Amino acid sequence: MSSLQLKPHPLKTLALNPSRSAPPRRSLSFRCSAAARRSYNITLLPGDGIGPEVVSVAKDVLSLAASHEGIEFKFREMPVGGSALDATGVPLPEATLTASKESDAVLLGAIGGYKWDANEKHLKPETGLLQLRAGLGVFANLRPATVLPQLVNSSTLKKEVAEGVDIMVVRELTGGIYFGKPRGFGTNDKGEDIGFNTEVYSSSEIDRIARLAFEVARKRHSRLCSVDKANVLEASMLWRKRVMAIATEFPDVELSHMYVDNAAMQLIRHPKQFDTIVTNNIFGDILSDEASMLTGSIGMLPSASVGESGPGLFEPIHGSAPDIAGQDKANPLATVLSAAMLLRYGLGEENAAKRIEDAVIETLNRGFRTGDLFSAGTTLVGCKRMGEEVLKCVDSRSPLAALH
Ligand code: IPM
Ligand code: MG
């Protein structure tokens, strides 16, 4: 067990510090066994669309970076989403959940595609992903949106607005309207068809995500903005009340509250005002896509989902992009950076994580860009070639290479 600590590395994401002792209250419980074990079981869930392409690149980068640090991986690939539906008839086969639970960390590509869009709810690829998140109990989803100096011109916003943005969105992941009951289809008293969902949060669900977000903020710039819709929704009213109650445990963190409509506007108007954002499942889904565009491309945003115990789930925030699937056009960097988060948050392997992040920065410095980020004066490459360039940079950072 260990707590979070910010390390001064280029992406300014949070780092796990295995050497720090656990806080007295409770730990954030990222799995941390770096000192005792150097061999890990990783479940790979490539999924659909561009998922297999980006996971294959991330797997190679993960293996190489880890081997430089004396870490060994055993990979097990399992089906999820549409590919699982085609192979087994369900979007999350029992064997996939079991393998995921039994491993040290799970790396997922993306799920979904046109082919399954019209499926009934329980047979949608997305249902498999939600079942996986719930099954692993990963209630906290960390989505860093950092504008890298190398990519500032790729943002659709003016340079002076985007420059220096460094936001961590902490999204609640296993509650709210995504999972709330009652839900379903029915008819109203006029005999019309209706569809309905329930936005519901219990105080314990809010307390645990709030605590985690305060700890995350504390290791960044100690500013936490809680985003809700407490002027309209009861679930948000309770959210705000509980976040304020938990704030008393973190007097050193400056807490603010913002309604989600205003937050959506402020993210575009003046994104630098944000440090750490904590919000519910659906607002986090929407705001993290919005935040990704500050950085230039959704193809750059990784995520880490963690729970009280057990393996974390690491995935890019982008979808399966069926329009470019199988064409070697996808940007693999969000998945590569998710692999770095896996090393840091999932395994406590900070050095290997840093090695990957540095290699990504160096690859961008050398001018390589996939189509989503390409601009005049840079070198357009495909998914595979981008992976090869990152691998070269991982290698060039080897202490042995430095000696020669
Ligand atoms: C995400 C995705 C998923 C979500 C979908 C694919 C179910 O949009 O991870 O942000 O809504 O959580
Ligand atoms: Mg989303």
Side-chain angles (χ1 to χ4, degrees):
M1 298 296 203
S2 72
S3 61
L4 286 167
Q5 174 153 338
L6 179 66
K7 296 262 175 135
H9 59 86
L11 292 184
K12 287 237 187 84
T13 50
L14 282 150
L16 186 72
N17 181 357
S19 61
R20 221 183 106 170
S21 57
R25 208 167 5 85
R26 72 169 185 88
S27 108
L28 287 176
S29 70
F30 296 111
R31 179 165 297 205
C32 178
S33 44
R37 288 179 50 200
R38 307 288 288 167
S39 168
Y40 302 103
N41 294 312
I42 308 292
T43 303
L44 295 176
L45 307 177
D48 311 319
I50 59 171
E53 300 164 56
V54 293
V55 166
S56 148
V57 167
K59 177 188 175 191
D60 290 346
V61 173
L62 195 53
S63 301
L64 186 64
S67 73
H68 282 303
E69 301 292 336
I71 303 163
E72 215 184 74
F73 285 127
K74 283 194 198 86
F75 293 103
R76 185 159 173 207
E77 202 171 299
M78 302 296 287
V80 71
S83 46
L85 273 165
D86 288 351
T88 70
V90 290
L92 180 67
E94 198 66 44
T96 297
L97 181 59
T98 306
S100 299
K101 280 183 176 167
E102 285 171 355
S103 58
D104 294 301
V106 182
L107 183 68
L108 183 132
I111 51 92
Y114 310 128
K115 183 175 172 191
W116 309 283
D117 274 353
N119 283 16
E120 271 180 68
K121 174 86 203 302
H122 72 286
L123 295 178
K124 282 190 182 294
E126 289 78 3
T127 301
L129 178 56
L130 299 185
Q131 288 169 345
L132 179 68
R133 290 171 178 171
L136 292 174
V138 286
F139 67 88
N141 183 213
L142 308 186
R143 298 189 160 189
T146 307
V147 175
L148 300 175
Q150 295 83 351
L151 299 182
V152 72
N153 290 323
S154 304
S155 174
T156 47
L157 295 188
K158 286 188 199 130
K159 187 174 176 204
E160 57 270 29
V161 177
E163 207 164 37
V165 165
D166 177 16
I167 301 172
M168 177 69 88
V169 178
V170 180
R171 169 188 179 193
E172 200 291 327
L173 201 62
T174 52
I177 200 164
Y178 272 58
F179 293 91
K181 289 189 179 127
R183 65 186 302 155
F185 298 103
T187 39
N188 65 13
D189 41 17
K190 289 189 212 134
E192 262 180 315
D193 287 343
I194 58 164
F196 56 95
N197 294 86
T198 303
E199 165 72 353
V200 56
Y201 273 107
S202 66
S203 53
S204 62
E205 281 177 309
I206 302 168
D207 290 2
R208 66 181 181 180
I209 190 74
R211 274 203 186 94
L212 189 137
F214 273 108
E215 296 219 18
V216 167
R218 180 178 262 174
K219 305 305 175 198
R220 290 171 49 88
H221 301 290
S222 289
R223 285 187 294 113
L224 181 64
C225 179
S226 171
V227 173
D228 61 36
K229 189 72 184 172
N231 50 346
V232 177
L233 304 175
E234 281 78 358
S236 274
M237 292 171 203
L238 181 69
W239 178 279
R240 191 174 283 214
K241 189 172 146 196
R242 291 311 311 165
V243 171
M244 286 166 79
I246 300 300
T248 59
E249 298 170 20
F250 299 86
D252 53 316
V253 178
E254 183 192 312
L255 173 67
S256 60
H257 304 273
M258 207 178 266
Y259 297 138
V260 63
D261 47 352
N262 186 27
M265 187 264 279
Q266 296 294 340
L267 265 176
I268 300 300
R269 190 186 77 86
H270 180 38
K272 269 181 283 229
Q273 70 186 283
F274 296 104
D275 170 29
T276 307
I277 291 175
V278 62
T279 192
N280 71 14
N281 204 340
I282 187 136
F283 298 160
D285 179 44
I286 298 164
L287 294 181
S288 59
D289 266 31
E290 189 186 358
S292 79
M293 280 322 291
L294 306 171
T295 73
S297 169
I298 197 167
M300 289 301 296
L301 256 70
S303 88
S305 305
V306 293
E308 306 276 359
S309 60
L313 173 64
F314 302 84
E315 50 175 317
I317 83 154
H318 62 67
S320 58
D323 52 326
I324 57 163
Q327 299 170 38
D328 194 32
K329 284 184 179 164
N331 181 352
L333 296 183
T335 315
V336 168
L337 292 171
S338 299
M341 291 187 98
L342 179 156
L343 287 164
R344 173 173 300 121
Y345 297 118
L347 308 177
E349 294 285 0
E350 175 61 26
N351 292 345
K354 180 89 168 62
R355 197 178 270 279
I356 291 183
E357 288 165 352
D358 287 350
V360 167
I361 301 280
E362 200 178 316
T363 307
L364 294 171
N365 281 341
R366 289 168 55 224
F368 297 105
R369 302 283 188 276
T370 39
D372 53 325
L373 291 169
F374 176 72
S375 60
T378 63
T379 308
L380 180 64
V381 293
C383 180
K384 269 202 185 120
R385 170 82 188 280
M386 185 59 119
E388 287 159 12
E389 295 304 332
V390 175
L391 285 173
K392 280 185 208 161
C393 292
V394 169
D395 251 341
S396 73
R397 302 213 150 238
S398 141
L400 285 177
L403 289 175
H404 290 102

